[in-house]
Each structure stands twice: as structure tokens, then as C-alpha cells.
Amino acid sequence: MSKLTKKQQKIQELMEGFEQPSSALEAIKMLQKVSSEVSKFNETVECHMRLGIDVKHADQQIRSTVVLPAGLGKTVRVCVIAKGPKASEAKEAGADEAGAEEIIEKISGGWFEFDTLIATPDCMPMLGKLGRVLGPKGLMPNPKTGTVTMDVAKAVKDAKAGKVEFRADKQGMIHCPVGKAQFSTEDLMKNFVTFAEAIIKAKPSAAKGTYLKSVYLTTTMGPGIKLDAKNLPNEVKSYLNA
């Protein structure tokens, strides 16, 4: 058996006696405690869920977005593909870059200095040739995620405010950041509950049996804490009604 590193030993000591599965609130508090003791940077807090869905069936696929109320704790660079007034509207709303042909040319040349790409419907044909490049990077605009829209101002503001996309992979797993370890416990809890509620509401009507199979919260370099998946809907409801 490999020997534990000093960091792993410290984490083990901090978590001694901590019972799992845990409530989301207690898990967040523990992750913040561990991160403050062993990490030298502001770690990202992530949620990993295994859902009782079969994504081979089109009616059980899950893909959507949610705006986290406390944001993600980082600056989101937004690029908008739009013409004329819509490009101006995007810039006024806070887009870092906005334009049409000139932006397409920059991306074709290997420029990817943005985190979110938004496009108006009339500009989507221009992006077709870039699908092979943008698709694998998860940057291709899509109506399902609100990144193909005429309301570019709202799309830009949502992206800047902390809008995140979630999508079930081939194993029915969803992975999503919910904030930074150095956020207040309240802000992290607020973000997590907002995300969890969106997942619960996204349950496909065709999904049978247990929907929330397992739920874990973790940090970039920290431990994974198992939540009480069975009680999570009640915890979310109680928090929202408090």
C-alpha cells in the first residue's frame, strides 16, 4: 500500500469522525475547512451527480443551463457573433468581443480568447465551418443553452453573472462547478441548491426508478464528500422555503 502524503494525512485528520453520506450544508463547511488548511489557492467547488437515466434514449437526455446567484468567482470572457445593432447591443451589455466576419476570421486563425460564444440565429450559417473546432471545445452556440438568440444583451449578462451549462454524459453523469472554496458558506449553499433544483426539475418523464443515484461535492485538489442523495430533494426544498 502506498504511503500517504503529508497533505493526504492532514485531510484524513481533518475529516476524522465526519459522517457520510452528509447533508449539503455540512459537506460545504467541511470542504471549506479542508481547503483553508491544506490548499494554497482558491479551489473550485464541484458537484458530481450520477443520474438514473439512459442517455441512449433521446427522451432521457439532459442538457440545460442555470445561472448561479453568487456567480463562479471568475471573470467570464464573452464573445458575440452578431451584425450591426445587435453587435453594438452586445458590447453595451458587457461583451468582451462582438462582430461578425472579422470575429469568424480571428477564430479561424486560432483565436480562442473567450469562455462563452453567443450568436444571433442569422449568423449561425457563418459558424458552420468552425463546428469541428468549436464543438470539441464545448464552445459551439446552441439554442438549448440560450447561446443562439436575438436577445444578446440578456445572454451576455447571464453569462457574466455565472451561467453554467450542465449536460449528462454517456454514463448519465453530470459534472458542474458551483463556486469557489473561499466564497461564504451561504453563497456556496445558495449556488449548490440552485444547481441541484435545476437538475431535479430536469428529470425526464421517461426516467424510471431512482433518479438521483449518487451526489458528491469536492474541491479541485480536495476530498470527495458523498451527500445523502435520497434526502437531497427535501434539503433543497427546505432551504428554498426557509
Side-chain angles (χ1 to χ4, degrees), residues 12-223:
Q12 201 172 65
E13 289 171 12
L14 290 168
M15 293 192 65
E16 188 174 351
F18 184 78
E19 293 186 10
Q20 299 184 56
S22 158
S23 69
L25 181 59
E26 291 308 313
I28 286 171
K29 288 179 179 178
M30 177 54 72
L31 288 173
Q32 289 182 301
K33 179 181 178 181
V34 171
S35 184
S36 67
E37 292 279 348
V38 304
S39 180
K40 295 180 179 179
F41 66 99
N42 191 5
E43 296 182 290
T44 297
V45 178
E46 306 163 357
C47 181
H48 304 274
M49 292 185 173
R50 184 165 67 89
L51 306 178
I53 57 175
D54 187 348
V55 294
K56 292 178 183 176
H57 300 289
D59 59 358
Q60 292 191 49
Q61 293 176 1
I62 293 177
R63 182 179 185 182
S64 190
T65 60
V66 62
V67 177
L68 301 179
L72 283 170
K74 69 173 186 176
T75 300
V76 179
R77 300 167 300 174
V78 180
C79 178
V80 177
I81 306 298
K83 299 177 181 178
K86 285 296 174 182
S88 299
E89 185 182 315
K91 289 292 284 185
E92 288 173 11
D96 297 273
E97 296 284 346
E101 290 84 357
E102 67 275 23
I103 302 293
I104 298 290
E105 285 184 22
K106 285 176 68 175
I107 296 174
S108 297
W111 177 79
F112 294 100
E113 299 299 314
F114 53 89
D115 304 297
T116 299
L117 184 62
I118 296 164
T120 52
D122 59 306
C123 286
M124 280 305 290
M126 299 167 60
L127 281 170
K129 62 181 181 180
L130 297 175
R132 290 182 181 178
V133 178
L134 295 171
K137 293 179 179 291
L139 293 171
M140 192 68 179
N142 189 303
K144 291 182 179 179
T145 59
T147 48
V148 177
T149 177
M150 288 301 291
D151 193 351
V152 292
K154 182 179 184 302
V156 169
K157 288 174 183 176
D158 283 351
K160 289 284 188 179
K163 181 178 180 180
V164 294
E165 178 183 353
F166 56 86
R167 184 178 188 177
D169 62 19
K170 293 178 181 179
Q171 287 73 45
M173 294 284 296
I174 285 182
H175 314 278
C176 190
V178 292
K180 293 290 186 178
Q182 291 177 19
F183 276 13
S184 69
T185 301
E186 177 63 22
D187 278 348
L188 269 178
M189 187 64 182
K190 195 187 302 179
N191 275 2
F192 171 73
V193 166
T194 300
F195 169 69
E197 183 190 28
I199 297 295
I200 292 168
K201 285 184 175 179
K203 179 183 179 181
S205 57
K208 305 300 180 184
T210 303
Y211 178 53
L212 298 177
K213 292 281 190 179
S214 65
V215 182
Y216 284 83
L217 280 174
T218 185
T219 53
T220 310
M221 304 291 286

